[in-house]
Amino acid sequence: MLARRGRARAGCAFPFLTMSPVRVRFAPSPTGFFHIGSARTALFNWLYARHTGGTFILRIEDTDTARNSEEFLNVIYDSLKWLGLTWDEGPGAGGDFGPYRQSERAHIYREYLEKLKAAGRTYEKDGATWFKLLGDRHEVYDEHRQKTVTKVKTAPMVIEDAIRGRVERIEDEDFVIVRSDGNPVFHLVNVVDDIAMQITHVIRGEDHLSNSSKHVALFEAFGVKPPIFAHIPLILKQNGPGKMSKRDQGALIEEYQKRGYLPEALVNFICLLGWNPGGDREKLPIAEIVSLFDLPAVNQSNARFDDKKMAHMNMLYLLALPPAEFTARARVYFAAQNVSTGDVSEEYFAAVMALAQPKIKGFEELPAYTAYFWNETYPTDEKAKAKALGKGEPKARLAELAGRLLTADFTSDASVEAAIKALAEERGLGFGDYQGVARIATTGLSAGPSITSLFRLLGRERVIARLERFAATLM
RNA sequence: GUCCCCAUCGUCUAGCCCGGUCAGGACACGUCCCUUUCACGGAUGUAACCGGGGUUCGAAUCCCCGUGGGGACGCCA
């Protein structure tokens, strides 16, 4: 924990001015849905590229032909675009180092493999091609794997990590680089592509830290100086042990998209998992995050995901949205959810949204929160109804209110309020004696926007009709 | 089992590099205020330096050892 600030200042304050331009890549494999952890890795790469004026590359690691799918590939594209993490090079974006799908780069891997073979750094075993480490060999029984393995006495590999400092790890076993079916393995293609695409910084999850010694060994075998690594901490699942996986609750980006979360809120939230701008600020615009972000400030310890805080961040962004923007996005949400809002006018829809925006935490609350605005068949919360009817004389209050509203002025919240207040005063009662029962009668709910606002919006006829209809059920 | 990474409120974290502040903020939770409901907002409370040694006048901060958590150990990526 202590060392990182020191490293931050020990290096050049503006590495991108003195070194070759930053080139980073996000290299997902389309073997499953896109989850929070992947999104954050992509985000940190993107942030670093934008911060340094470098290049953000999207590379698809689809060498495992058995597990790849086009569907997952599209999820990756869609999720990245939704989050606003646009790539400068990669599928659909072009670039001078393509193709950007590993399944289309076989010729490049063959070429690099030849270099390794020529240097005597490979051998064939069981039909596969192995990478040969340098050093003396001896056999040893591995308890964990319950088999005899060949160990190699090698010098420690040095991993220069922008987040963790210098990490040494001994790589002591040869490993497969080309499968017996002819397909190259992750370790090989990953390193070859990082060389071929001139990647300067490898920003990836800490789960790859142990692999890095293999990768450094390969870089050295190719005679290439390894890039700067930055192994970011993992995101742990909210409940229970271990890192977050695709199966965990709240793990999938797609899910947040469907639930109407604002992508800018999600981005703001996940960049705070393992990084912070310093000071007490949490909600900050992406442009500012870009300017403040740097690798040495990334935490070294894993973070646990917290959906409550995520929801809170989303609310903050929702609250800050210009009303027209809120309305437009709400429209999209209703459409995506297939929730009908009747054939109301744009003005009416916007007016309803104006009442809802300051009250809700997320778009997913919207359909239930506004159901009674769209038609006359809205659900009634029976528990709330029982509670509202449990005290006073609800039937009398409804009748009085309906009568008074007949002549009330519905042009503004204030005029509706004045009418109800006058009625309450005449009867020696409080506003609240009418408010509760009127709300359940006209909305079916116990909570919602101010009663005067929603009366004004609903209009005299509908309000009175609802009051009378509800009163009639109380026989 | 072996190797690697990590360790401040329940959670995310500031403070650590460069030792001296009532250990600060946010989420969550409690109370109060605002209020015609529910939210928002404001105020406030509960709550943490993993343990043990060492260095030092002084350690959350530096060092060591434990312990705990995480990761890796595939012809997955």
Side-chain angles (χ1 to χ4, degrees), chain A residues 240-290:
Chain A
K243 63 173 174 172
M244 203 161 195
S245 79
K246 297 165 199 206
R247 291 178 304 279
D248 289 311
Q249 182 72 34
L252 269 29
I253 296 301
E254 226 187 343
E255 192 185 308
Y256 292 99
Q257 190 174 2
K258 285 201 185 108
R259 290 168 63 190
Y261 269 78
L262 300 179
E264 50 271 59
L266 189 56
V267 163
N268 196 152
F269 174 75
I270 61 180
C271 85
L272 256 20
L273 247 32
W275 174 83
N276 75 82
D280 293 334
R281 298 190 60 202
E282 293 196 331
K283 178 175 183 286
L284 52 178
I286 191 67
E288 202 169 343
I289 295 174
V290 164

Side-chain angles (χ1 to χ4, degrees), chain A residues 161-219:
Chain A
D161 195 292
I163 295 168
R164 285 153 213 287
R166 177 191 165 101
V167 176
E168 283 191 10
R169 188 170 184 280
I170 292 171
E171 191 60 42
D172 61 358
E173 277 178 49
D174 294 340
F175 52 93
V176 172
I177 50 176
V178 180
R179 285 183 265 261
S180 48
D181 66 3
N183 280 318
V185 172
F186 162 71
H187 303 299
L188 204 229
V189 298
N190 193 269
V191 168
V192 166
D193 284 343
D194 285 345
I195 293 171
M197 294 180 180
Q198 296 174 20
I199 300 302
T200 58
H201 296 72
V202 171
I203 304 169
R204 48 160 50 152
E206 202 223 76
D207 48 347
H208 284 294
L209 187 51
S210 309
N211 286 328
S212 297
S213 47
K214 285 187 179 71
H215 298 177
V216 170
L218 282 167
F219 275 108

Side-chain angles (χ1 to χ4, degrees), chain A residues 259-262 265 307-319 326 356-366 369:
Chain A
R259 290 168 63 190
Y261 269 78
L262 300 179
D307 59 359
K308 288 241 180 66
K309 191 152 186 173
M310 169 69 233
H312 180 259
M313 183 63 82
N314 190 58
M315 182 199 70
L316 257 27
Y317 273 85
L318 229 34
L319 244 28
F326 181 93
Q357 184 175 7
K359 300 283 201 165
I360 62 166
K361 272 182 139 65
F363 278 133
E364 56 189 333
E365 293 175 16
L366 215 42
Y369 195 80

Side-chain angles (χ1 to χ4, degrees), chain A residues 314-341:
Chain A
N314 190 58
M315 182 199 70
L316 257 27
Y317 273 85
L318 229 34
L319 244 28
L321 235 38
E325 181 73 20
F326 181 93
T327 300
R329 298 213 204 187
R331 269 264 189 243
V332 172
Y333 181 74
F334 275 111
Q337 292 298 308
N338 239 329
V339 174
S340 169
T341 56

Side-chain angles (χ1 to χ4, degrees), chain A residues 386-400:
Chain A
K387 202 177 169 194
L389 297 177
K391 58 190 172 193
E393 303 164 81
K395 213 165 146 53
R397 298 294 89 80
L398 289 172
E400 291 157 13

Side-chain angles (χ1 to χ4, degrees), chain A residues 38-320:
Chain A
S38 307
R40 195 188 48 164
T41 302
L43 174 61
F44 281 12
N45 275 283
W46 181 88
L47 283 173
Y48 193 62
R50 294 294 171 265
H51 175 75
T52 56
T55 305
F56 177 57
I57 298 154
L58 176 64
R59 183 173 82 213
I60 304 299
E61 306 225 330
D62 53 352
T63 54
D64 184 5
T65 47
R67 299 201 309 163
N68 290 322
S69 94
E70 283 302 303
E71 187 203 351
F72 290 139
L73 193 56
N74 286 324
V75 171
I76 290 169
Y77 296 152
D78 290 347
S79 297
L80 286 174
K81 283 178 193 160
W82 182 67
L83 292 170
L85 307 181
T86 49
W87 52 98
D88 307 311
E89 290 179 25
D96 297 336
F97 300 84
Y100 292 91
R101 287 180 65 164
Q102 292 183 329
S103 54
E104 297 166 5
R105 296 173 63 82
H107 57 290
I108 298 168
Y109 307 133
R110 262 197 300 277
E111 181 189 319
Y112 274 80
L113 185 63
E114 286 312 314
K115 294 185 191 177
L116 245 31
K117 280 184 178 168
R121 296 301 302 275
T122 69
Y123 60 87
E124 307 289 320
K125 193 175 93 181
D126 305 329
T129 305
W130 295 65
F131 178 69
K132 189 201 278 178
L133 260 14
L134 268 20
D136 295 333
R137 262 137 244 271
H138 64 280
E139 309 245 298
V140 72
Y141 183 75
D142 184 305
E143 278 184 50
H144 179 72
R145 284 174 288 179
Q146 308 214 318
K147 63 173 184 182
T148 302
V149 296
T150 303
K151 294 279 183 188
V152 188
K153 235 180 152 46
T154 60
M157 291 297 146
V158 176
I159 300 148
E160 294 295 349
D161 195 292
I163 295 168
R164 285 153 213 287
R166 177 191 165 101
V167 176
E168 283 191 10
R169 188 170 184 280
I170 292 171
E171 191 60 42
D172 61 358
E173 277 178 49
D174 294 340
F175 52 93
V176 172
I177 50 176
V178 180
R179 285 183 265 261
S180 48
D181 66 3
N183 280 318
V185 172
F186 162 71
H187 303 299
L188 204 229
V189 298
N190 193 269
V191 168
V192 166
D193 284 343
D194 285 345
I195 293 171
M197 294 180 180
Q198 296 174 20
I199 300 302
T200 58
H201 296 72
V202 171
I203 304 169
R204 48 160 50 152
E206 202 223 76
D207 48 347
H208 284 294
L209 187 51
S210 309
N211 286 328
S212 297
S213 47
K214 285 187 179 71
H215 298 177
V216 170
L218 282 167
F219 275 108
E220 289 181 357
F222 283 118
V224 174
K225 186 174 178 287
I228 293 171
F229 292 95
H231 287 97
I232 63 181
L234 302 179
I235 298 175
L236 269 25
K237 63 176 78 181
Q238 186 152 231
N239 305 302
K243 63 173 174 172
M244 203 161 195
S245 79
K246 297 165 199 206
R247 291 178 304 279
D248 289 311
Q249 182 72 34
L252 269 29
I253 296 301
E254 226 187 343
E255 192 185 308
Y256 292 99
Q257 190 174 2
K258 285 201 185 108
R259 290 168 63 190
Y261 269 78
L262 300 179
E264 50 271 59
L266 189 56
V267 163
N268 196 152
F269 174 75
I270 61 180
C271 85
L272 256 20
L273 247 32
W275 174 83
N276 75 82
D280 293 334
R281 298 190 60 202
E282 293 196 331
K283 178 175 183 286
L284 52 178
I286 191 67
E288 202 169 343
I289 295 174
V290 164
S291 80
L292 292 171
F293 185 84
D294 205 0
L295 259 13
V298 175
N299 282 170
Q300 295 164 294
S301 52
N302 295 340
R304 205 169 286 279
F305 184 76
D306 182 357
D307 59 359
K308 288 241 180 66
K309 191 152 186 173
M310 169 69 233
H312 180 259
M313 183 63 82
N314 190 58
M315 182 199 70
L316 257 27
Y317 273 85
L318 229 34
L319 244 28

